[in-house]
Amino acid sequence: MQWTINLCLQSELGLPPILEAEDRITGLDYLIEQEALIVGTSTGDLVLVVPTSNTVDVVGKVEGGVKTIASSPDGALLIVATGFGQLLAMTQDWDVLYEVSYDLDNNLETFMSGTRADGISGLSSPFSQVRVSWRGDGKYFATLGCSGNSEGLQRLRIWERESGTLHSSSEPKDFMEAAMDWMPSGAKVAAACNTSKTKNCASVAFFERNGLERGSFDIYGTTEAKIEMLKWNCNSELLAALVRYDEWSSIQIWSFSNYHWYLKQEWRYLGKNKLMFAWDPERPMRAICWTAYGLVHLLTLCWSSAVYDASIAIVIDGVNVLVTPLSLSLVPPPMSHFNIMFQSAVQSVAFTSRGLESHLAVGLSDGNLSIVKFPNMNMWDQLEGTVYETVNVDPGSLIKIEFGDLRHLTWLDPYVILGVMHCDGDQTSLYSDFISNNWRKCPLMSGGNNGVSILVEMELVCNNVEEVEPGCLSSSGWVVKSSMHTVIESSVVAIAANPMTRCEAFIQLGNGDIVSYMSKEGINIAPAELYKEKRSNLKGFLSYCPWMYPIPVYDYGKLKVLIFGLDEDGRLQVNGQVICSTCTSFSFYASAAGKVQEVVTHLIYTTRQDLLIVANIDEIFHGDVHYESMGNGQSPVGFGNKLQGENKLIREGNHDELKVWERGAKLIGIINGDEAAVILQTVRGNLEVIYPRKLVLLAIAGALVDKRFKDAVSLVRQHRINYNIIVDYCGWQSFVEAASEFVRKINNLSHITEFVCALKHENVMETLYKDILLPNHQDNKIECGSQIFLSNTDSPLEFGNQTIIKRLEPGNEIVSKNCKVRAVLEAVRKVLEEEVSKSPARELCILTTLACNDPPELEEALKRIKKWRETEIASTMNEVDGGLHKLNLSAEEALKHLLWLSEPDAVFHAALGLYDLHLAAIVALNSQRDPKEFLPFLQELENMPSPVMCYTIDCKLCRYESALKNIAAAGDAYFEECLQLMKSNPKLFALGLDIFKDVGKRAVILEAWGDHLFSEERFEEAAMAYCSTCSFQKALGSFRAGGLWKEALTMAGMLRLTTDEVSSLANDLCEELQALGKPAEAAKIALGYCKDVQGAINLLLTAREWLEALRIGFLYDMGELVKSQVKLAAIECANLLILEYEEGIEKVGKYLARYLAVRQRRLLLAAKLEMEGKAKEDVDDDTFSETSSNISGMSAYTLGNSKASNASGNLSTSSTGSHVRTRIRTRRKVHGGKIRAGSPGEEFALVEHLQSMVLSSRAQEELKLLLEALLLLGEEDVARKLQSFAARYQSCQLAAVKDAEDKLAEEQADGTAGTKNKNADNLKKLGVSDTLCWQWEMLSPP
């Protein structure tokens, strides 16, 4: 909307004119709350203009005229500077709060007379302008631009808002044009200074609130440069300077970082145009500039990280370009490896490096282009610290628009470059004829934006006839051979070269669409057509993205392009989808194999939560994107983006999050390949390098796949990775096969020693790095094209046709994981012994493999040391040629190395195990043992016979088998010690029988073995040992102790006992069997050996063997007597069971009722919580079970009433009903006692208890036998009643369990059971039988 009003021609509105013809506007500001403009004139009028109502009012008049107007940030106060040097503070109601003089060096009369004390006219003073600037919080304001002293020096003054009191002032200084602005953050005040006398240029100085100067920087240009305006952006990061030269005016954007001010951008305009500039008050990277002739430019700035694929960092600093190869020297700006100086300020840069050629294209603010040719990167060391001055490119046939901006420079080829020029208004008309005759117009784009974008493609040629010294830069001789121009009636946001195709680029338009540009052809393929042809995954962005990067990726063996973009709101986009909605910076990483194939493997980006995330490109290429509802629409927040703002990928194994330690740090570059370095730049400007664990592990994995063992070990050592990954990644079997190649490529025995010492049985691919990296095993790897994929992930591990380390065949694999360390160390030791030349380091490395084995082979190591020691002695005596002696490896050094690797006690014991007392003494001395402790012991051993010495050493080392062999070899005099050794170590009895062949000694050993077995209650084995030595009496005692009555009576026959002795033995056995709970077995002895028929029948009744008791009674003509006894016992047992089943039916009902009440209470509480919006997981378990236990029938939690308890107690010794109580007692013992009413687990405890009350198969079998006996004895009524109560009990119990389990199953199906149903499946495992096989059909009701 355009709105104008002429204050000198108010007759159109029917009002008298406000301004006279000679009057002019000297101050203007916007009042936020009143939505009006306040205008100050040279005659002192204050005019309020309200655009909405089209009204104009004169609200006041000040003497001396208005110099400037500035409202406070909150709009509550207005500061007016008058021509008489006064500051007026006015409210919104135009009331003056206070009035002070802002020029304290001159009085009011001087201003009113128009002449200063030194006689210079005040009206013609060059410092007639006054500038007022507020601090961001509105508590202070600064003024600059008073008349100054006799030398023309001014003071910057700081004033307090509330009282108008002067807070501070600076030292007198030669300020320029009253250009001054206070940083919104309040830290500093920027002011322009005239330093042409000392520095031949203007400068900008910074002052603190106390008036002290704190830093400055010089404006690039000649002495005629004058700073007319300084403006901070809203976040105080950028400072804009409006600088006027004789022929043009320019807007310069300055940035501060790492204690240095950089000139980042400069726009030049014709000198005849009056230029103005303003920042957007809310968007810090947006600005507007306009001229008096109506030319308006809306500027959108963005920070672009100029770190290119070869890790070349380029920093723009005015006329200088700072170049640093990060792979050679990691130095933060303003430091650099070398410096390139151009003829004017740098606007845009483009770097290309293909093969041995590297070129830098630079667009300058004066409209020129400069090309710099770099030498081979191997010679860049010679450029360190140099400053190279360049020349511009000869434009040739290129039509140069005066002061035109050549933006978005992009190399299509080492000698073809593409850029963009933007023309507005009159500039377009100036060249309309040339456009119509010579330039191509893009048919795909239509109007809609002011002005046009002109794509300029230039083919360059270098005619440099001068010879350039090797290792030097060159910029002369470049000429534009030909050029082609394409007009697009749309703005161009970004241009990026296609990494797959030469001479092709992607162009992003203002609406986020992407088109393709071909060299010599222009824009000839629409985005939809390009995507349809599947030449790439080319899609536009949801919004325009200033940061756009196309990358090559592999898609199942095919090379494709993905185009990533980041917009101003932090949305990282690809393929029309959002990966992260809080992204601040991003870059790409290529593994070593990917670097060779020129493809990208990982995306790395930072977020506003100061997280650095490493994502697999393949996961993004094929991963699904989620959408979360944001307001009324659908906002893409793919890859697991949480509402809390934390960005996570879908699969946890494919991402790695790192917390960035410094807030606001940005990702500026990646060093690809094995370096795997991520470079961050902090807010203060420093560079920090981190190595994400995921990238490092991928680099190690790639090196292992390529068998680059030296690189893998170097990465492991540098980044403190567990050495076991070298073995575990491809499997230790594969490493054993490649051990020879590993040792040969490492070629560093110190590194091999470190590797050997770090080996553990733990598989780090299953523990430490389980969630980061998958092992490269043959059974989970498939090949697809030229990529390698893992079966449970889509991400390519590496690229290229590498030779994969094969695993051993399944038949040759060793199952035990404990074989890893031993197998690897043996393989390495074998290679060291066979392929590595003799050296002290090799011998020490071999010792290390022995000491670090599992278990350590210390004896083998000591044998080698002993051999070296013997060789040393022989060499000293000139008996043999000491090969090891020539290598300066002493046995003492080797022994010290072994002691350093192992426990000194273990080495000392190993030396003793060799039975070499002299070697043991040397070990003890080198392990700093006290001679008073080991010398007497060694002397005592030395005085013993050899077998006894060995026996003593073996006993000390707990090598009892060897000790037995040694003491046995000492002779018969030591047989008793042999026997004692076997008794103290029973496992040696078998070895003793094998060593001693004498019958007498074997008998003693067997008897001692039998005594040992008897003490361990292995009675049958002890009896067999006694029988072997004909110790039948001891064998009889062992059989009796074990309850083996048949064997005991057999042994009585072997001992030829008398009839009375056998009868007495039988009676004793009968009593012992009854005590052991075997009445049926005791009945057999009573009947067969004691001839006690009545006693046998009583025992059978105790064992509930009803039919067998009847059979025995009739066999011995005691039928009637036995029949009556059996009948009474059976009826008594049946009555007790009837009482127990009746009590059980009542208990089942009470438990079921309690269960239903507890469940109903829990469901009601869950429904209430759901209505209140609370999750059940957030509520304590006790809340769900907080149910009153005062429900009738809770006595079911006890064993029952006293009557039932007594009946059960009587039944426990004479009936089958005891199985119910035994099972209940067992359950309570396992589950911690009786059920606690109101406890969290009460509901499931009730179900468990109901299930435990089922009739077991044994109980059903006993019940069926009892019913059969009752029918045989004619007690049909009792049998019918018993079966009826048992059937009712079983039916009630089964129905209750089924009801409870069905309700649990319903809750699980509905998902309402929550975590409390996790045990439901376990409860069903108990199972119940729903058959009634124990019932007699004749007793069942009709």
Side-chain angles (χ1 to χ4, degrees), residues 761-780:
H761 286 299
E762 174 191 9
N763 188 342
V764 295
M765 300 307 301
E766 297 177 356
T767 55
L768 191 60
Y769 307 126
K770 176 180 62 175
D771 297 330
I772 305 177
L773 193 66
L774 292 175
N776 184 32
H777 287 176
Q778 195 73 17
D779 53 1
N780 65 351

Side-chain angles (χ1 to χ4, degrees), residues 337-386:
H337 192 68
F338 59 91
N339 185 7
I340 305 176
M341 183 179 295
F342 296 89
Q343 297 181 6
S344 61
V346 177
Q347 280 192 334
S348 58
V349 296
F351 180 82
T352 182
S353 177
R354 294 189 179 182
L356 299 178
E357 293 186 344
S358 299
H359 297 155
L360 175 68
V362 177
L364 305 177
S365 61
D366 60 1
N368 287 309
L369 180 69
S370 181
I371 305 296
V372 180
K373 186 175 181 180
F374 289 84
N376 193 310
M377 285 195 64
N378 296 330
M379 307 178 69
W380 280 31
D381 290 338
Q382 304 175 14
L383 300 175
E384 185 174 2
T386 61

